Amino acid sequence: MLDERDRKLLALLQEDAGAPVAALAEKVNLSLSACARRIQRLEESGHIAGRVALLDRDRMGVPTTVFALIKTAHHSDEWIALFSRAIADIPEVVEAHRLTGNYDYILKVVLPRVEHYDVVYKRIVRKVELFDVSASISMEVLKSGTRLPVEHAE
């Protein structure tokens, strides 16, 4: 069971996973060793799945976002596994979700420019049969982030 210090630590680590343990300990009013033990426990329990560096998309040369909405006529476990393997090998596909509603899947694709979407599209359709693909270009990011709400964690 998590307490308020655990939740505060999780929130702080989402802001800066590279923050020194001493600084975190001070912010949650713990000793250095107690804070380090809590962080280790949160990692071991799976609350902290990993620590990453967030890269600047413009500097990385992939400022364009396209959302590809996919319909398929296939819903077998084998097709889903094939589709998952096909998109796993494409670094421009940074997120993929199975949906309810009119479309079966949505892919978030980051690109150097919109014309590069055709390269990604062809890589997918060479590997797996799709019924319909509709792409939408993001015109503006209104909210983006990786931080999760910590108040619901148990």
Side-chain angles (χ1 to χ4, degrees):
M1 196 74 154
L2 299 183
D3 63 18
E4 284 309 306
R5 283 186 174 146
D6 292 329
R7 287 183 181 85
K8 178 72 172 170
L9 273 173
L10 291 170
L12 291 168
L13 287 167
Q14 286 188 102
E15 290 175 24
D16 182 4
V21 176
L24 296 169
E26 185 177 322
K27 289 180 180 179
V28 296
N29 199 27
L30 286 171
S31 70
L32 184 67
S33 59
C35 185
R37 282 193 304 272
R38 279 186 185 243
I39 293 169
Q40 182 178 5
R41 181 175 46 81
L42 291 166
E43 289 175 332
E44 290 170 355
S45 68
H47 287 87
I48 298 173
R51 298 188 197 197
V52 299
L54 300 176
L55 306 180
D56 182 278
R57 291 196 29 206
D58 288 329
R59 289 183 180 253
M60 296 307 298
V62 287
T64 304
T65 303
V66 171
F67 292 96
L69 292 158
I70 296 171
K71 289 183 185 181
T72 180
H74 307 282
H75 300 280
S76 69
D77 291 341
E78 295 80 15
W79 186 92
I80 294 170
L82 178 65
F83 179 66
S84 295
R85 284 191 305 273
I87 61 174
D89 294 335
I90 302 172
E92 292 90 347
V93 177
V94 295
E95 287 188 38
H97 301 265
R98 190 163 59 90
L99 305 174
T100 62
N102 295 329
Y103 289 91
D104 298 306
Y105 299 90
I106 187 169
L107 306 180
K108 181 179 179 182
V109 185
V110 297
L111 305 164
R113 60 192 178 289
V114 73
E115 295 83 4
H116 189 77
Y117 173 71
D118 192 48
V119 173
V120 173
Y121 170 81
K122 287 177 181 175
R123 286 183 68 188
I124 295 170
V125 298
R126 279 187 207 116
K127 296 178 180 182
V128 65
E129 181 184 347
L130 303 175
F131 177 74
D132 182 44
V133 180
S134 175
S136 295
I137 302 164
S138 172
M139 299 296 290
E140 177 184 12
V141 177
L142 301 177
K143 182 178 180 181
S144 178
T146 60
R147 294 181 188 154
L148 299 177
V150 297
E151 49 277 351
H152 305 289
E154 295 182 9

